[in-house]
Amino acid sequence: MELKRDGLNRYRLPRHGKMRVDAVVYVNEHLLPYLREDKSLEQLMHAACLPGVVEPVIGMPDIHEGFGLPIGGVMAVAPDGVISCGAVGMDINCGVRLIRSDLLARDFDKPLLRRLMERIEDYVPTGVGKKGKHKGLTAHIFEDVAHRGVQAVIEAGFGAPGHLEYIEEEGCLPGADIAAVSREACARGSVQLGTLGGGNHFIEIQEVTDVYDPELAARFGLFRGQLTVMIHTGSRGFGHQICTDYTKRLAAVAPKYGIELPSKGLAAAPIDSREGQDYYKAMACAVNFAFANRQIIMTDVVRAFGDVLGFSAEAIGMRPVYDVAHNIAKWEKHYGRRLLVHRKGATRALCAGHPANPPVYRDTGHPAVVPGSMGTASYVLVGTEKAAETFFSVNHGAGRLLSRTAAEKKITREEFERAMGEVLYNTRNYREVVDEAPLAYKDIEQVVETLVAVGITKKVVRMRPLAVIKGKD
DNA sequence: ATGTCC
């Protein structure tokens, strides 16, 4: 493929064949070779063929092959174009919440961290197929959650109204309608609020080790030596079922609207069609579910801290720094136009002064929370004015390097344990999480530095993991 | 990612 260098760490795939626009990928010399190892470039080209797509389709430095749009992809579409469930992903509103505290990491030795992990696991079900522990309560408010997101769970006693301003979209994407969601999706979702899930999802206790921008860090409530908690999860079986349902439905009706689908995974329909509108309504339900899911899990984590430390949540200053989606489609204004921006494995990162920032972060830009792999560092970034060229988006993590099966074959116990170092983890057998080993992922430092060098983002702080809770049986 | 194959 004729990838052309287009400035520092930027490569352009010029429009050709059925592509309507160019694709642009951000990689440095370390990450560039990975592009040849999977079908992610081909998948970006497919996205560039869809009606209404706006130049360019973007690949982030953590890009890798997915179902439809690659993970690490951004696709903006004009109102006369299409909406695609394959450009949002199976785990709708998979995302990350960073929680601050007034606690110092140095006060937490390994036995104390172990007690915290165990108590968190008592409260938060982890692993595939698990049901929530607040089952009756959350099933009762399920429809309200789908429509109103975090507000509905705050009213049910999970957290405080003040948390809303620290969540993208204030925890509710407008336009959700449960009538567009299948009974099956509702049956799966209604019992899963407050659950972590499996795969790359986690709850991590961290220490802020590096502050790159003291003024911004202070504005975000972060400081060196601080204990933080990060939650990475999404919409569980609810979003998964919605994506499955609508991939079938949109693929079936695409020909009726004269749309030639470039791949099976990129099922799409016109934004203004009945089916496209229905997908948006259903997707918004899953977005709201996932924001609420992270809110419930946060309150359970704070409760665990309170139990173990003997303090109230207020006394230890725990609240969200920010909660960001990295699998979502949203209406946003770019270059003076209203566009439906699909981000799949990409994080919104608005610059200082951007009017779409939440009021608390209006003049700083909101924190863009970027987790590393299990056992490696995570970052808080902020977008710059130059991020306009990525529709104000940055990467969503380190990005997978090996498939789950390849990781299971290649990575030994010794390699896994060496990579984890002193980091505590909850699984007894490394085989349960070897597909999540740091060696199965790209180097988060290379990924972040790629965008920093281009000037799209600035580092605010870096956190190192102390203890990580992953899904297990 | 996922009641990891209805």
Side-chain angles (χ1 to χ4, degrees):
Chain A
M1 262 172 265
E2 59 283 31
L3 208 52
K4 289 184 179 153
R5 189 143 195 250
D6 184 30
L8 179 64
N9 295 349
R10 188 195 292 106
Y11 293 81
R12 185 171 288 268
L13 199 62
R15 173 165 65 97
H16 65 282
K18 291 180 177 176
M19 289 171 74
R20 294 166 192 256
V21 297
D22 293 354
V24 167
V25 190
Y26 294 86
V27 281
N28 66 9
E29 63 286 354
H30 176 85
L31 301 168
L32 178 62
Y34 299 147
L35 287 177
R36 309 290 175 188
E37 292 176 14
D38 68 14
K39 296 203 158 51
S40 51
L41 278 185
E42 198 180 317
Q43 293 181 323
L44 278 187
M45 287 166 54
H46 288 156
C49 299
L50 288 173
V53 64
V54 172
E55 172 126 331
V57 170
I58 291 164
M60 287 292 160
D62 54 338
I63 190 169
H64 60 100
E65 189 178 328
F67 181 70
L69 192 70
I71 294 152
V74 182
M75 178 181 84
V77 181
D80 62 353
V82 297
I83 184 169
S84 170
C85 30
V88 172
M90 295 298 262
D91 188 5
I92 297 165
N93 191 5
C94 187
V96 188
R97 175 179 297 213
L98 180 66
I99 302 159
R100 73 169 306 284
S101 76
D102 293 330
L103 304 165
L104 297 174
R106 65 164 185 249
D107 293 332
F108 289 75
D109 60 11
K110 284 182 179 174
L112 183 55
L113 288 168
R114 279 279 176 212
R115 283 166 58 204
L116 278 166
M117 289 170 77
E118 284 162 16
R119 188 56 69 103
I120 291 168
E121 285 193 88
D122 287 342
Y123 290 153
V124 184
T126 73
V128 173
K130 292 292 166 61
K131 292 177 179 179
K133 291 197 171 174
H134 310 283
K135 202 172 161 183
L137 172 59
T138 58
H140 181 249
I141 61 171
F142 171 70
E143 192 173 318
D144 199 20
V145 168
H147 290 149
R148 295 198 301 142
V150 177
Q151 179 67 45
V153 295
I154 288 174
E155 287 173 14
F158 299 99
H163 294 156
L164 290 175
E165 57 189 323
Y166 300 105
I167 306 171
E168 187 171 343
E169 299 295 312
E170 297 190 335
C172 181
L173 191 64
D177 186 354
I178 201 83
V181 180
S182 70
R183 292 174 67 107
E184 193 178 11
C186 290
R188 289 178 71 175
S190 61
V191 291
Q192 285 190 318
L193 275 166
T195 64
L196 186 69
N200 61 2
H201 293 163
F202 64 78
I203 299 169
E204 190 169 272
I205 303 173
Q206 312 169 322
E207 174 182 11
V208 176
T209 54
D210 301 84
V211 173
Y212 307 99
D213 188 321
E215 194 182 324
L216 273 187
R219 291 290 303 275
F220 292 173
L222 299 169
F223 57 90
R224 190 164 180 273
Q226 181 180 28
L227 188 106
T228 58
V229 179
M230 188 177 277
I231 298 168
H232 179 204
T233 184
S235 53
R236 312 283 292 100
F238 186 51
H240 190 276
Q241 190 62 48
I242 289 168
C243 184
T244 304
D245 293 342
Y246 277 94
T247 295
K248 283 181 202 152
R249 188 169 170 206
L250 298 195
V253 300
K256 175 173 91 177
Y257 295 110
I259 299 163
E260 192 187 336
L261 293 181
S263 77
K264 196 180 162 192
L266 267 181
I271 294 170
D272 61 7
S273 67
R274 168 77 189 269
E275 296 84 359
Q277 294 274 309
D278 281 354
Y279 171 64
Y280 183 88
K281 291 172 186 169
M283 177 203 62
C285 288
V287 165
N288 296 340
F289 178 101
F291 282 136
N293 193 31
R294 294 192 287 272
Q295 176 73 14
I296 292 170
I297 292 173
M298 181 187 77
T299 63
D300 285 336
V301 166
V302 170
R303 196 153 54 97
F305 269 77
D307 289 355
V308 172
L309 302 177
F311 295 114
S312 71
E314 294 71 29
I316 49 183
M318 293 185 87
R319 64 153 174 87
V321 170
Y322 206 53
D323 183 316
V324 281
H326 51 229
N327 283 6
I328 196 168
K330 276 176 18 180
W331 286 106
E332 295 177 353
K333 204 168 179 187
H334 295 277
Y335 307 111
R337 307 165 67 187
R338 201 167 151 265
L339 303 176
L340 186 63
V341 180
H342 299 67
R343 292 191 182 88
K344 181 179 181 184
T347 312
R348 190 186 72 172
L350 297 172
C351 66
H354 195 292
N357 275 302
V360 276
Y361 295 131
R362 176 66 55 85
D363 58 340
T364 57
H366 68 81
V369 186
V370 174
S373 63
M374 182 182 190
T376 66
S378 298
Y379 282 90
V380 173
L381 309 174
V382 70
T384 65
E385 285 182 25
K386 200 165 189 294
E389 72 181 54
T390 61
F391 303 99
F392 291 103
S393 311
V394 296
N395 62 302
H396 85 305
R400 189 165 275 285
L401 183 60
L402 302 176
S403 70
R404 296 191 185 279
T405 45
E408 281 163 18
K409 271 185 198 159
K410 283 176 79 168
I411 301 169
T412 65
R413 183 192 185 95
E414 289 68 32
E415 286 173 324
F416 178 80
E417 287 178 353
R418 192 180 319 125
M420 290 303 291
E422 293 296 299
V423 181
L424 301 179
Y425 49 98
N426 63 327
T427 46
R428 290 170 301 281
N429 188 336
Y430 90 105
R431 301 251 24 130
E432 290 181 78
V433 281
V434 67
D435 58 332
E436 286 297 315
L439 296 162
Y441 282 82
K442 292 167 189 163
D443 182 349
I444 183 73
E445 315 293 340
Q446 297 286 347
V447 169
V448 168
E449 291 303 337
T450 295
L451 295 182
V452 170
V454 178
I456 284 170
T457 190
K458 289 189 299 186
K459 296 193 286 189
V460 181
V461 305
R462 179 182 191 267
M463 290 85 68
R464 74 171 173 107
L466 302 174
V468 56
I469 294 167
K470 298 285 278 185
K472 62 178 188 188
D473 308 325

